[in-house]
Amino acid sequence: MRAMSVMSKGVLGAVLTALVVLGAGTTAGAVGETGGGTGGGTAGDAVGEAAGQVAGLVAGEVVGAAEADLAHHGHVSLWDGRVGVWLVTENHGPSDVVDATVRLAFSAPMAGGQELPPGCLWSSSRVVSCRTGALPDGGAAGELALDLRAAGRPQELTVDVSTAWRSGGVDRNSVNDRHRVLVLATGDPYVF
């Protein structure tokens, strides 16, 4: 998330610099066509178009990107130092998603040496990342089931579930793909 913020600030800085350069040309009396096109646009028109794109970037949108609303639902259980996670990822559309990655971050470290299902990997002792595969509009990935051992026997832990990456889409409803679940060591399923 922080890397995305830094990258967004870098893109915003580059666009603002371009606006200043184009704006300087406009105030200096430049009225010719931009980019050698035949559309008859002036440098002022280019500034207006670029400003609209900056507004979209500042609002958190990717200009021209398809929209795909991903959602993660399931439950987490904790018992005798074991953590069970059952998760389904859905795409509420309107666009298909070629692939996505769901990130599960645990507040307590997991024991080392545990095998994960195909398509999953350990990002750290507290983070598991799993591919969803293709998610067509209105489709769902098969259920992901994890049976993990915690490094100790925590009486509680939190699990943060989020979309770490999606191929080429914008999700304007990130509420349903980001969850923080407090799980007590009761063996009960805590639903998200």
Side-chain angles (χ1 to χ4, degrees):
M1 183 77 162
R2 185 165 181 82
M4 183 68 99
S5 175
V6 170
M7 186 173 70
S8 295
K9 288 179 182 176
V11 169
L12 181 60
V15 172
L16 289 174
T17 301
L19 286 173
V20 169
V21 170
L22 286 173
T26 303
T27 58
V31 292
E33 293 182 8
T34 58
T38 59
T42 65
D45 294 337
V47 170
E49 182 179 327
Q53 291 181 352
V54 169
L57 288 172
V58 170
E61 299 175 10
V62 177
V63 178
E67 182 177 353
D69 180 20
L70 298 186
H72 306 297
H73 300 290
H75 64 273
V76 183
S77 296
L78 175 63
W79 72 99
D80 297 327
R82 298 197 73 79
V83 181
V85 179
W86 295 267
L87 170 78
V88 173
T89 299
E90 300 171 314
N91 178 5
H92 296 292
S95 300
D96 296 344
V97 172
V98 176
D99 202 358
T101 303
V102 61
R103 180 180 181 266
L104 304 163
F106 303 94
S107 62
M110 299 293 116
Q114 299 181 71
E115 284 194 39
L116 296 171
C120 294
L121 60 85
W122 288 102
S123 299
S124 74
S125 65
R126 295 175 189 247
V127 178
V128 175
S129 299
C130 298
R131 286 185 64 213
T132 64
L135 295 164
D137 176 15
E143 184 177 88
L144 170 66
L146 299 174
D147 181 13
L148 305 172
R149 290 182 322 279
R153 293 178 69 110
Q155 293 302 303
E156 67 180 34
L157 60 80
T158 58
V159 182
D160 289 327
V161 181
S162 62
T163 301
W165 175 82
R166 76 185 54 75
S167 61
V170 174
D171 189 345
R172 290 183 175 87
N173 179 17
S174 62
V175 174
N176 58 2
D177 71 335
R178 294 174 191 248
H179 306 283
R180 174 168 281 170
V181 187
L182 173 63
V183 186
L184 304 178
T186 61
D188 296 326
Y190 290 84
V191 177
F192 58 91

